[in-house]
Amino acid sequence: MSFPQPKPEVPQLPQNLLRTIDCQQGAVRAVRFNADGNYLLSCGSDKSLKLWSVSRGTLLKTYSGHGYEVLDADGSYDNSQLCSCSSDKTVILWDVATGQVTRKLRGHAGKVNCVQFNEEATVILSGSIDGTVRCWDTRSRKFDPIQILDEAQDGVSSLKVSEHELLTGSVDGRVRRYDLRMGQLHVDFINSPITCVCFSADGQCTLTSSLDSTVRLLDKSTGEMLGEYTGHKMKGYKLDCCLSSKDTHVLSCSEDGHVYCWDLVEGSLMLKLPVGKAVVQSLSFHPSETRLLTAMEGRVQVWGAEPEETEEDVVVVQQEKA
Amino acid sequence: VCSLVLVQGVSVVTSSGPVEYPKPVPLHEQTVKDEKGRYQRFHGAFTGGFSAGYFNTVGTKEGWTPATFVSSRQQKAGRQNARPEDFMDEEDLGDHGIAPRQITTTADFASGRKDVIRDKARAITSLSAPIPGDTVLEDLVAPARSSMGVELLRKMGWKDGQGVGPRVKRRLCKQRADSATRAFGSASPPNGSSESQDEEDGEFLPENLTFAPKDVTPIDFTPKVDLHGLGYRGLNPLAALRGGPGAGHINLFTMDSDRTNSLFGEDRKGQRRRGGVAGQGFGVGAMEDDDEDIYHRDIMSNYDTVLGGEEPGDGLYGWTAPQQYNRTKKDHSKDAAYLGKILEGFTLASDKLETKTVGIFPPPNLPRDFRPVHYFRPVVDLSSVSPMVAQALQTSRGHMAQEAPSKGGRHQLDSAQRRELLGEATLQGSLLNPSRFAPHAEQQQQEALSVWSGPTAQAQTGQTFKPFERTPHKQARYDLYIDQLKQGDRDALELSLDPTMTEWERGRERDEFVRAALLYKPSSSSLSCRFTRGKQDDGVEADTVEVTRDQENDVDDKQAAVKMKMFGKLTRDTFEWHPDNLLCKRFNIPDPYPGSGFVGMPKVKRDKFSVFNFLTVSESPTASASPAPQGNKQSVPLYPDT
């Protein structure tokens, strides 16, 4: 006896603003979900890195140690370590609970734009304006990187790591995918400085946003363009783009204060989130649910699919009743 | 961090009981005592030497007592032969002494294994002894002792030469008989003459007669380790040293030399000397009959002037009489002759080869116009040699001078060539519409054609410059284009392009080829041989630096492709990249290039003027705003921008 198939859910968009967090960090350069999506990392221009709870919006810990603006951060899979990179050319490995600097990795010749852990948090990969990507070993006590990838001709603006691949986007207009398993490097020419690169969740495509105000979806194996998304404004700033958790939509920041959301397959604009008036600097999508983080100026916004009733309202009602 | 400290002499209690560690022995107690507690003193080496006895004398304090010697008138002391063992003490007779006593099997009960060694030794000595082949002395001296096993067998009814096992009904062992039936009475005959026995008694044997099984012929398992041919036996020493008529000349090359040199071969008039020591050097004894050949005279007929078997004709020398006598002589000895020639370790096959399966195949059917004359195709490509040489080659191949050999044979003609062959009128209008070409391009093509099809171009052999060396496919097409230009083909350009490429790519290639052809004209032949292409670009060398290979490709093509949104093959490059071994370990993936010595990508040359080549970690000034360097110049352009 076969059970009836569950009705396919209509893909939901994070169109409702759930919360706004005032980070008090100067300008928020990057906002990131952690591995499970319960916590939020905000990188501030006041050299601090802050850890917040998403559901409550409360500040959990502040990590100080950088010498200049913190540009990017990432959390390990078990939430025990954080890594962050800064304009002071260093990458710092933090212990989450104690807030101590476990390791300060020096080696880049210019500001480090992007940083990420690999899947098992054994390697930290960082890309810098000096055109190199350095792979740092978290297990050993060595301060030298395991390998330096210097194929980029200009600064590396963004990088992402998967199980066996490393995707880097560079200002020289090329997306480089290093396949460690096959021992190959694939270079895709985009002709415009690249601001952000992402893997798709199924591992078949890569998303690239570049300074010609275009977000492109490229096939990983052949390099062909599967989709092109335009309408937003990305002309001068390094802004983020991402895919939704189920690869249904493409989202991108824009310099006009909105977040644009397109349908992946059709390429039509589905949603234009009014974040504010200034440039939306960074965004991050929840790993499994429909939840979005955006960063504009000094504040972080949390967006969800369904509007939640805020706690303040509930409290007010109760007090009134009492 | 904790460390284990083991206290010596303290017992440790484990699950199986207390473990006793041996206590360390202090130096003054490290001595050797014999079984009686006496300190041992050693000669020579520290251990294992002979003991010094009792203060360097005999073994005990009492000294060595000889055997008592008694001799009186009644009792003369028996002859006592002193054996060495009498003078040895316990230590010498022990395990490590000079005469250790072991328990071994006596010769009566020992197996035949030791006999094998003795037999081999005997065989070796027999060859090298002064009396080769004869083991007379050995047989006299060695005791004729059979082992206990042989004795037991004999007592049970076995006789020499028989096999061991249950009795069989027939000699050929087709059935196994009851062992209870009566055995054949007299001594079983030796194996060699069994056949004759069978033939005689085949009809007369009673039914319940059984025979002893045949003895197994021992198979020699010694491997062949020499390099002689199969069945090679050296010079027979008997033949070499014996006297007689065969002694003077040893004929190695006769057909049946095996037989003449065999041990049991012809024994004419008996052997002169039994021991084999004979010949002209040894003389003739008084008791012996006169030897004919005391004075050996060598005759030329002993020696061949030609190799055997080259007699013309059938060997009959005109003999016309019936050949029955001749044949019979050969016939019945054929088998024996064949048997004699069987190699060692081989026997005649039991079943004949079927001639059908391994048959003689008929020769192939020749085509009617086949002429058994071969002419060689020239290795030289016609287009790369001078026309004189080309013509000479063509005539040598049998082609007419006017006929241009079509490239793919007669199956790959196009309509124009077929028209020519058939002699039809040529079509009006052009072959391929040139309306696409701009007049300028047309002019260029004509120019290229005129340049390349002249005589100087033909004279150039191999020194042409390859503009597209880095892309071999493109270079191949360019070569094809040049070849066709040399031959004066108008449509060289069209024909040399790759039809699998896209239209746009073909257009680009067309332009590139024309430009390259004009630019790299062949120089006049007399001077060109004095110049050669430089291996390195001297002017540019100083300014270039090694870079990874991904930068050397042309960016313009890619930009055009991106503008046309043709991502994919045009925009993607794939390179070999070596990850670090540790990086692979950290990512938990196997190293794709385990043996590679380098990390990263293989490098080629590039401009070295880049800001970041000078930046190091310690020297860098402030971090702020280091501007991106100027776009780096490419390496030597492949063709000038027109």
Side-chain angles (χ1 to χ4, degrees):
Chain A
M1 175 176 157
S2 63
F3 292 102
Q5 295 286 332
K7 285 182 203 162
E9 282 181 22
V10 177
Q12 296 183 314
L13 295 172
Q15 52 205 347
N16 300 96
L17 177 64
L18 301 178
R19 181 172 275 111
T20 305
I21 302 172
D22 189 10
C23 294
Q24 308 280 337
Q25 279 179 300
V28 175
R29 294 285 177 230
V31 65
R32 300 274 175 258
F33 268 114
N34 73 328
D36 55 21
N38 292 325
Y39 301 100
L40 188 163
L41 287 163
S42 63
C43 313
S45 62
D46 71 341
K47 312 175 208 167
S48 69
L49 173 69
K50 288 189 177 173
L51 181 69
W52 307 79
S53 157
V54 176
S55 48
R56 292 178 192 279
T58 50
L59 172 66
L60 299 173
K61 202 151 185 76
T62 306
Y63 301 89
S64 308
H66 272 299
Y68 214 167
E69 289 189 354
V70 185
L71 294 177
D72 200 1
D74 190 31
S76 64
Y77 66 98
D78 56 354
N79 299 328
S80 66
Q81 287 177 317
L82 300 176
C83 64
S84 64
C85 65
S86 162
S87 300
D88 67 353
K89 302 183 272 180
T90 61
V91 173
I92 292 185
L93 179 67
W94 305 90
D95 178 55
V96 173
T98 60
Q100 298 294 321
V101 172
T102 307
R103 216 167 243 50
K104 205 167 199 180
L105 301 162
R106 292 175 226 268
H108 276 294
K111 68 173 180 170
V112 190
N113 287 321
C114 45
V115 74
Q116 201 172 27
F117 274 115
N118 72 333
E119 208 177 272
E120 293 170 359
T122 51
V123 183
I124 298 174
L125 295 106
S126 59
S128 157
I129 198 177
D130 66 354
T132 61
V133 172
R134 281 170 206 244
C135 312
W136 309 92
D137 189 6
T138 58
R139 290 257 179 275
S140 71
R141 293 182 150 276
K142 278 201 281 192
F143 289 99
D144 296 321
I146 306 172
Q147 191 169 353
I148 302 175
L149 315 174
D150 57 358
E151 284 79 31
Q153 289 163 313
D154 211 330
V156 175
S157 57
S158 168
L159 69 81
K160 290 287 185 304
V161 191
S162 82
E163 253 184 24
H164 59 275
E165 282 172 321
L166 170 62
L167 189 66
T168 64
S170 165
V171 179
D172 64 1
R174 288 173 175 87
V175 175
R176 288 178 180 84
R177 181 167 62 86
Y178 298 86
D179 191 335
L180 275 92
R181 214 166 40 186
M182 301 292 297
Q184 285 175 335
L185 162 63
H186 305 273
V187 181
D188 287 319
F189 185 74
I190 307 294
N191 200 24
S192 164
I194 292 168
T195 54
C196 188
V197 289
C198 308
F199 279 114
S200 63
D202 61 358
Q204 299 298 317
C205 321
T206 59
L207 191 72
T208 311
S209 64
S210 48
L211 283 186
D212 53 359
S213 298
T214 318
V215 179
R216 291 182 181 85
L217 186 72
L218 301 173
D219 184 66
K220 205 167 82 168
S221 49
T222 60
E224 286 168 4
M225 187 167 76
L226 304 172
E228 199 180 26
Y229 312 96
T230 52
H232 60 294
K233 187 181 170 207
M234 197 187 286
K235 285 287 179 198
Y237 292 107
K238 175 191 173 285
L239 306 178
D240 285 342
C241 67
C242 67
L243 286 160
S244 66
S245 49
K246 292 195 176 56
D247 285 349
T248 52
H249 295 89
V250 173
L251 297 104
S252 172
C253 303
S254 171
E255 289 164 12
D256 59 6
H258 293 261
V259 167
Y260 286 71
C261 177
W262 298 270
D263 183 77
L264 184 129
V265 176
E266 290 171 27
S268 53
L269 184 63
M270 304 292 290
L271 188 61
K272 204 168 144 181
L273 289 175
V275 183
K277 290 217 169 56
V279 173
V280 183
Q281 175 84 50
S282 168
L283 78 137
S284 174
F285 210 94
H286 194 281
S288 47
E289 294 172 23
T290 313
R291 207 162 281 223
L292 180 69
L293 294 173
T294 57
M296 191 189 72
E297 289 182 319
R299 289 186 295 277
V300 168
Q301 293 85 17
V302 184
W303 305 80
E306 273 136 20
E308 272 179 13
E309 291 190 355
T310 56
E311 278 192 8
E312 284 94 46
D313 293 342
V314 172
V315 168
V316 163
V317 164
Q318 280 184 344
Q319 274 182 352
E320 275 185 352
K321 268 195 179 170
Chain B
V1 178
C2 57
S3 58
L4 272 174
V5 175
L6 182 66
V7 178
Q8 288 179 333
V10 175
S11 65
V12 172
V13 181
T14 58
S15 57
S16 59
V19 175
E20 292 285 337
Y21 289 106
K23 291 191 181 177
V25 181
L27 193 60
H28 57 275
E29 285 176 29
Q30 287 177 8
T31 53
V32 178
K33 295 186 186 162
D34 64 359
E35 65 274 7
K36 288 198 183 151
R38 298 174 290 200
Y39 281 114
Q40 292 274 45
R41 293 138 135 229
F42 295 106
H43 294 292
F46 295 112
T47 54
F50 293 105
S51 71
Y54 184 76
F55 295 105
N56 282 327
T57 58
V58 297
T60 60
K61 192 176 175 187
E62 290 75 30
W64 178 75
T65 48
T68 47
F69 179 74
V70 172
S71 176
S72 65
R73 211 187 271 175
Q74 284 79 30
Q75 273 185 327
K76 293 265 166 112
R79 183 163 175 79
Q80 291 170 7
N81 289 333
R83 301 172 303 132
E85 281 73 22
D86 294 337
F87 298 96
M88 291 180 188
D89 64 352
E90 291 296 317
E91 188 206 349
D92 292 325
L93 296 169
D95 283 335
H96 304 287
I98 53 175
R101 290 183 288 196
Q102 298 164 347
I103 298 174
T104 54
T105 51
T106 58
D108 285 348
F109 295 89
S111 63
R113 227 183 298 151
K114 279 196 184 145
D115 292 339
V116 171
I117 301 166
R118 235 188 293 159
D119 284 339
K120 280 195 175 167
R122 210 185 295 169
I124 292 165
T125 51
S126 71
L127 284 173
S128 56
I131 312 168
D134 249 344
T135 55
V136 180
L137 196 63
E138 282 285 309
D139 289 330
L140 281 177
V141 167
R145 203 191 325 159
S146 51
S147 65
M148 193 54 65
V150 174
E151 289 295 319
L152 284 171
L153 274 177
R154 282 228 178 82
K155 283 188 180 153
M156 288 165 66
W158 175 81
K159 299 205 172 50
D160 261 323
Q162 287 182 358
V164 177
R167 300 190 72 86
V168 290
K169 201 139 200 186
R170 278 195 171 272
R171 262 292 155 179
L172 302 169
C173 305
K174 277 185 187 162
Q175 292 168 17
R176 285 179 173 268
D178 216 0
S179 57
T181 51
R182 209 164 64 89
F184 192 65
S186 62
S188 53
N191 290 336
S193 52
S194 59
E195 291 99 8
S196 53
Q197 186 95 32
D198 254 344
E199 283 161 16
E200 287 172 332
D201 310 2
E203 307 287 318
F204 309 125
L205 291 173
E207 293 211 354
N208 56 349
L209 198 57
T210 60
F211 293 93
K214 244 184 182 172
D215 200 3
V216 278
T217 48
I219 304 170
D220 186 22
F221 289 110
T222 55
K224 185 178 180 302
V225 293
D226 54 13
L227 297 173
H228 298 138
L230 284 174
Y232 169 79
R233 275 170 291 168
L235 207 53
N236 190 7
L238 271 180
L241 288 178
R242 73 170 174 225
H249 173 75
I250 296 165
N251 197 348
L252 294 172
F253 296 109
T254 53
M255 292 299 289
D256 44 357
S257 58
D258 276 350
R259 276 196 303 145
T260 50
N261 287 337
S262 70
L263 190 58
F264 302 107
E266 38 206 299
D267 199 3
R268 289 172 287 175
K269 295 178 187 174
Q271 289 198 343
R272 264 300 132 193
R273 285 279 191 131
R274 279 278 159 175
V277 182
Q280 45 176 323
F282 290 94
V284 180
M287 302 299 191
E288 292 160 5
D289 302 336
D290 274 344
D291 192 55
E292 302 153 4
D293 245 347
I294 292 182
Y295 305 105
H296 173 67
R297 278 161 298 163
D298 209 359
I299 34 177
M300 281 309 290
S301 63
N302 284 343
Y303 297 94
D304 292 329
T305 50
V306 292
L307 290 175
E310 286 193 17
E311 293 176 349
D314 54 359
L316 290 177
Y317 293 101
W319 176 262
T320 50
Q323 303 237 344
Q324 68 225 35
Y325 305 107
N326 222 6
R327 217 169 286 133
T328 48
K329 209 202 306 185
K330 280 184 191 153
D331 250 350
H332 73 75
S333 64
K334 200 176 190 179
D335 267 348
Y338 190 56
L339 277 172
K341 279 194 219 161
I342 293 176
L343 291 177
E344 262 172 57
F346 290 81
T347 64
L348 278 177
S350 46
D351 45 326
K352 261 178 96 173
L353 267 181
E354 289 290 316
T355 47
K356 293 171 204 166
T357 52
V358 189
I360 299 169
F361 297 99
N365 291 324
L366 298 171
R368 209 184 296 167
D369 59 348
F370 176 72
R371 277 173 49 234
V373 175
H374 178 75
Y375 57 89
F376 293 90
R377 312 237 172 270
V379 183
V380 180
D381 187 23
L382 275 182
S383 56
S384 63
V385 296
S386 72
M388 311 297 289
V389 179
Q391 193 159 29
L393 284 173
Q394 277 191 344
T395 46
S396 76
R397 282 168 67 178
H399 288 165
M400 303 305 289
Q402 292 98 2
E403 181 188 279
S406 49
K407 274 233 163 4
R410 58 192 163 93
H411 295 289
Q412 288 177 21
L413 301 170
D414 74 342
S415 60
Q417 288 170 325
R418 257 179 259 138
R419 200 179 302 121
E420 211 178 88
L421 286 172
L422 290 172
E424 291 170 3
T426 56
L427 287 176
Q428 298 299 322
S430 52
L431 199 61
L432 301 153
N433 49 343
S435 55
R436 289 184 296 174
F437 302 149
H440 175 63
E442 178 75 35
Q443 235 179 32
Q444 276 189 332
Q445 284 196 9
Q446 290 290 350
E447 208 177 350
L449 186 65
S450 60
V451 162
W452 280 90
S453 55
T456 53
Q458 306 288 350
Q460 269 209 337
T461 46
Q463 290 256 347
T464 47
F465 171 61
K466 292 181 189 292
F468 308 111
E469 210 160 18
R470 292 206 186 97
T471 38
H473 297 295
K474 205 168 178 183
Q475 182 59 41
R477 288 196 289 275
Y478 182 72
D479 285 342
L480 183 62
Y481 169 56
I482 294 296
D483 291 343
Q484 300 202 316
L485 274 187
K486 277 192 193 163
Q487 291 174 11
D489 199 343
R490 249 180 356 113
D491 295 304
L493 196 51
E494 293 307 308
L495 291 173
S496 62
L497 293 177
D498 189 2
T500 62
M501 290 182 354
T502 63
E503 193 62 20
W504 175 80
E505 281 177 330
R506 253 190 282 169
R508 272 212 82 77
E509 254 200 24
R510 199 182 294 132
D511 292 336
E512 279 175 25
F513 283 177
V514 171
R515 268 186 258 145
L518 279 177
L519 188 70
Y520 302 110
K521 289 184 248 208
S523 48
S524 65
S525 57
S526 57
L527 273 181
S528 66
C529 56
R530 296 187 188 279
F531 293 89
T532 179
R533 269 279 143 190
K535 287 257 158 58
Q536 291 171 344
D537 297 323
D538 294 310
V540 202
E541 171 75 12
D543 292 336
T544 57
V545 86
E546 283 194 350
V547 293
T548 50
R549 203 168 277 180
D550 62 344
Q551 277 109 33
E552 71 172 39
N553 290 318
D554 194 13
V555 180
D556 303 328
D557 287 344
K558 291 200 179 128
Q559 283 176 346
V562 169
K563 282 197 181 94
M564 296 195 311
K565 303 201 182 169
M566 289 174 55
F567 287 88
K569 271 191 230 167
L570 295 173
T571 55
R572 167 163 287 212
D573 292 315
T574 301
F575 306 98
E576 191 182 288
W577 174 74
H578 291 230
D580 191 276
N581 193 22
L582 182 58
L583 193 66
C584 294
K585 268 194 230 169
R586 291 279 177 261
F587 270 82
N588 200 19
I589 46 172
D591 196 344
Y593 303 104
S596 95
F598 65 93
V599 170
M601 272 175 52
K603 296 203 179 279
V604 282
K605 286 196 251 179
R606 174 179 108 149
D607 263 351
K608 85 173 162 189
F609 293 120
S610 161
V611 177
F612 296 111
N613 287 327
F614 303 110
L615 279 179
T616 55
V617 178
S618 52
E619 289 170 18
S620 66
T622 54
S624 61
S626 40
Q630 299 284 330
N632 292 299
K633 287 192 296 176
Q634 286 182 359
S635 47
V636 180
L638 300 178
Y639 44 86
D641 298 313
T642 50

